[in-house]
């Protein structure tokens, strides 16, 4: 009886020999009950024998890997993330694609963004905050602070107290005050920079989207949260609008503007009132504490909406005005001087939640008046300030993207 020609099906995982069988994985010869075993020939031999490189790849213990990956898929989500996290780190760190064979048997590494989001930044920030409060021995203060000054280019000649031995711990050093003449406040322009930092972006708000860095946007409503009722604001009832952006604009002919300022670790860490305005409402968003470094901001969409932030809302002479302090890694502590009820970076929070507090009450119907340049709050390390405000169409920014700016310098004017 004629037998159909056999084809190579793959190596036996136990013996390493090649399985030869007929169509459908079984022989058509009578009496054949098992596929024949054939030892692989030398590289490049006739008969279609695979090369050494192909044999090595095929002999990789795929069956065992699939079983292990199947066990991983049956785990709960937290346990799966815990088990997959170290493997993913090795996948990205090891050279020459050492773990790429795993992807051929069904394993998929976490994306770099998902991996970064899984880092317990809130826990690390609380630990850093505790470390900042530890009082340093007098002999150790100058070496530690000098290293920080050298690393981040801090100008201690501007500090109100230049003696490094004066600062008992890192927290006091980060929150150092400046000499009064170090930051003169511009009296001509209507809006000044609330802090030292780097201008990441500025301009008009368009299509309810705000740019965190060039080409990367986030939703205005997601960032500020639902609109605050007009009863808490001083200006008149807003005209009806179809979008969240239109609801914030209170006067005909005005536009909505934004400005994003990044505070590096070496910058002055306090922030001030950018104009004369009245604060009527505070909204606190618990959230992640990912880095707000411009490089990370280009990498993660809606980064500012994920991070913990404190939104101060009120009005100025042209209508709506808001200042938002965005937390970051090691900056879980955001302090607002006139708000003693604010507590940031709590151990637990509900994702997507926020806490509202009104500064308008029966005893105070005006809110909190702030003068331009007045102390407003502070961070424990570098972070970000976002201004979103209403102004007439002829408002002009006096800025360039990427430029360094200091507290008191002009942002724009009419």
């Amino acid at each position: 009886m004629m037998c159909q020609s056999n084809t190579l099906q793959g190596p036996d995982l136990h013996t390493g020999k090649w399985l030869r069988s007929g169509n459908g994985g079984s022989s058509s010869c009578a009496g054949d009950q098992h596929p024949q075993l054939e030892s692989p020939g030398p590289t490049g031999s006739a008969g279609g024998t695979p090369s050494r490189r192909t044999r090595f790849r095929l002999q990789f213990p795929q069956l065992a890997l699939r079983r292990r990956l199947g066990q991983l898929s049956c785990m709960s989500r937290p346990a799966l993330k815990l088990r997959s996290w170290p493997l993913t780190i090795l996948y990205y760190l090891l050279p020459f694609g050492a773990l790429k064979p795993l992807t051929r048997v069904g394993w998929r590494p976490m994306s770099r963004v998902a991996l970064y989001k899984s880092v317990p930044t809130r826990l690390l920030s609380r630990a850093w905050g505790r470390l900042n409060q530890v009082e340093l021995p007098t002999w150790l203060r100058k070496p530690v602070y000098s290293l920080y000054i050298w690393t981040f280019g801090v100008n201690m000649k501007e500090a109100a107290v230049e003696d490094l031995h004066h600062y008992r711990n890192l927290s006091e050093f980060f929150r150092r005050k400046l000499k009064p003449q170090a930051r003169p406040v511009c009296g001509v322009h209507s809006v000044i920079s609330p802090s030292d930092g780097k201008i990441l972006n500025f301009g008009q708000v368009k299509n309810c989207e705000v740019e965190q860095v060039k080409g990367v946007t986030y939703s205005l409503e997601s960032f500020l949260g639902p609109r605050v009722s007009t009863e808490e604001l001083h200006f008149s009832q807003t005209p009806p609008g179809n979008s969240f952006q239109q609801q914030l604009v209170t006067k005909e002919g005005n536009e909505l503007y934004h400005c994003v300022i990044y505070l590096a670790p070496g910058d002055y860490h306090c922030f001030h009132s950018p104009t004369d305005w009245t604060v009527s409402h505070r909204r606190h968003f618990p959230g992640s504490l990912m880095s707000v470094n411009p490089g990370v901001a280009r990498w993660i969409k809606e980064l500012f909406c994920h991070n913990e932030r404190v939104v101060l809302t009120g009005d100025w002479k042209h209508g709506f005005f808001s200042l938002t302090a965005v937390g970051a890694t090691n900056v879980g502590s955001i302090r607002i001087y006139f708000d003693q009820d604010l507590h940031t970076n709590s151990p637990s929070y509900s994702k997507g939640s926020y806490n509202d507090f009104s500064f308008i009450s029966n005893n105070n119907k005006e809110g909190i008046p702030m003068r331009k340049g007045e102390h407003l709050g502070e961070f424990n390390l570098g972070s970000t300030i976002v201004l979103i405000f209403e102004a007439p169409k002829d408002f002009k920014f006096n800025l360039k993207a990427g430029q360094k700016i200091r507290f008191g310098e002009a942002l724009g004017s009419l």
Side-chain angles (χ1 to χ4, degrees):
M1 182 181 293
M2 296 295 295
C3 295
Q4 295 180 359
S5 61
N6 295 327
T7 57
L8 290 172
Q9 295 297 315
D12 184 282
L13 293 177
H14 299 289
T15 64
K17 294 184 177 182
W18 287 81
L19 298 176
R20 181 181 292 276
S21 62
N23 294 338
S26 60
S27 175
S28 61
C29 295
D32 285 347
Q33 299 297 327
H34 302 284
Q36 297 178 0
L37 295 177
E38 180 178 315
S39 299
T43 303
S45 63
T49 304
S51 65
R52 171 184 284 179
R53 185 175 179 181
T54 304
R55 290 202 311 274
F56 175 79
R57 186 164 62 245
L58 290 173
Q59 289 172 359
F60 196 87
Q62 298 182 358
L63 183 59
L65 281 172
R66 283 197 178 98
R67 285 174 179 168
R68 293 295 297 165
L69 293 170
Q71 293 173 4
L72 284 175
S73 64
C74 295
M75 291 182 178
S76 64
R77 191 178 186 86
L80 177 60
K81 183 181 290 187
L82 185 64
R83 292 290 294 272
S84 182
W85 200 65
L87 200 59
T88 300
I89 292 177
L90 291 175
Y91 177 84
Y92 289 120
L93 292 181
L94 292 179
F96 312 118
L99 295 184
K100 277 192 174 180
L102 292 177
T103 62
R104 301 191 185 103
V105 293
W107 180 74
R108 290 292 178 267
M110 300 165 61
S111 69
R112 288 180 172 88
V113 173
L115 178 64
Y116 180 63
K117 287 182 177 180
S118 67
V119 176
T121 52
R122 293 180 64 85
L123 179 61
L124 294 175
S125 297
R126 284 196 298 277
W128 175 255
R130 296 285 180 87
L131 180 63
N132 286 348
Q133 300 296 329
V134 176
E135 185 170 343
L136 298 176
T138 305
W139 63 268
L140 188 59
R141 294 174 189 177
K142 189 170 184 178
V144 171
Y145 300 148
S146 296
L147 177 61
Y148 186 91
I149 290 168
W150 177 80
T151 303
F152 296 106
V154 179
N155 184 4
M156 285 301 294
K157 292 182 179 180
E158 298 177 338
V161 180
E162 297 184 36
D163 182 13
L164 298 180
H165 295 98
H166 170 79
Y167 303 101
R168 294 173 298 175
N169 51 48
L170 288 168
S171 180
E172 287 188 2
F173 178 72
F174 294 147
R175 297 180 288 107
R176 64 193 176 276
K177 304 298 181 184
L178 298 181
K179 296 173 181 176
Q181 66 274 19
R183 295 290 187 275
V185 176
C186 178
V188 178
H189 297 274
S190 56
V191 183
I192 63 169
S193 174
S195 65
D196 290 7
K198 178 181 179 181
I199 301 295
L200 294 189
N201 221 306
F202 64 92
Q204 284 190 17
V205 176
K206 298 180 180 179
N207 302 320
C208 295
E209 294 280 325
V210 182
E211 282 192 323
Q212 58 190 26
V213 291
K214 187 70 174 178
V216 182
T217 63
Y218 57 91
S219 164
L220 180 64
E221 186 170 6
S222 297
F223 181 69
L224 296 179
R227 181 170 171 271
V228 179
S229 63
T230 54
E231 287 77 8
E232 297 187 28
L233 303 177
H234 287 248
F235 40 79
S236 58
Q237 185 72 26
T238 57
N242 295 326
S243 68
F244 183 78
Q245 177 179 338
Q246 292 172 326
Q247 293 174 23
L248 295 180
V249 177
T250 63
K251 298 180 181 179
E252 188 175 354
N254 283 1
E255 296 289 346
L256 208 60
Y257 297 86
H258 73 98
C259 183
V260 183
I261 304 170
Y262 167 68
L263 288 74
D267 289 327
Y268 170 55
H269 290 78
C270 297
F271 52 94
H272 300 247
S273 175
T275 191
D276 296 333
W277 65 307
T278 301
V279 183
S280 56
H281 185 269
R282 180 258 292 162
R283 178 168 285 158
H284 171 219
F285 290 86
S288 302
L289 287 172
M290 294 179 282
S291 171
V292 291
N293 181 282
V296 178
R298 294 187 187 93
W299 191 30
I300 300 179
K301 183 177 174 61
E302 296 199 334
L303 170 63
F304 296 162
C305 297
H306 292 302
N307 270 16
E308 182 159 11
R309 60 198 182 277
V310 176
V311 182
L312 299 179
T313 306
D315 66 288
W316 70 318
K317 60 184 178 180
H318 298 295
F320 173 81
F321 198 96
S322 73
L323 180 148
T324 302
V326 182
T329 306
N330 297 333
V331 197
S333 174
I334 303 172
R335 182 182 175 194
I336 305 298
Y337 294 138
F338 57 77
D339 189 356
Q340 302 302 319
D341 296 322
L342 176 64
H343 301 285
T344 58
N345 195 14
S346 57
S348 61
Y349 72 97
S350 177
K351 187 175 181 180
S353 64
Y354 58 85
N355 305 309
D356 283 334
F357 183 85
S358 176
F359 297 109
I360 296 178
S361 63
N362 293 331
N363 298 328
N364 180 13
K365 297 182 180 297
E366 297 297 321
I368 308 295
M370 297 296 300
R371 304 296 297 173
K372 183 165 64 175
E374 187 178 350
H375 278 83
L376 183 56
E378 64 187 32
F379 295 111
N380 260 349
L381 205 60
S383 194
T384 299
I385 296 287
V386 181
L387 301 179
I388 298 176
F389 58 93
E390 175 185 357
K393 291 183 178 180
D394 56 351
F395 180 86
K396 300 295 182 184
F397 283 104
N398 305 314
L399 303 171
K400 292 182 180 179
Q403 80 170 67
K404 292 289 290 183
I405 198 167
R406 303 201 303 177
F407 155 62
E409 295 179 348
L411 290 181
S413 61
L414 298 170

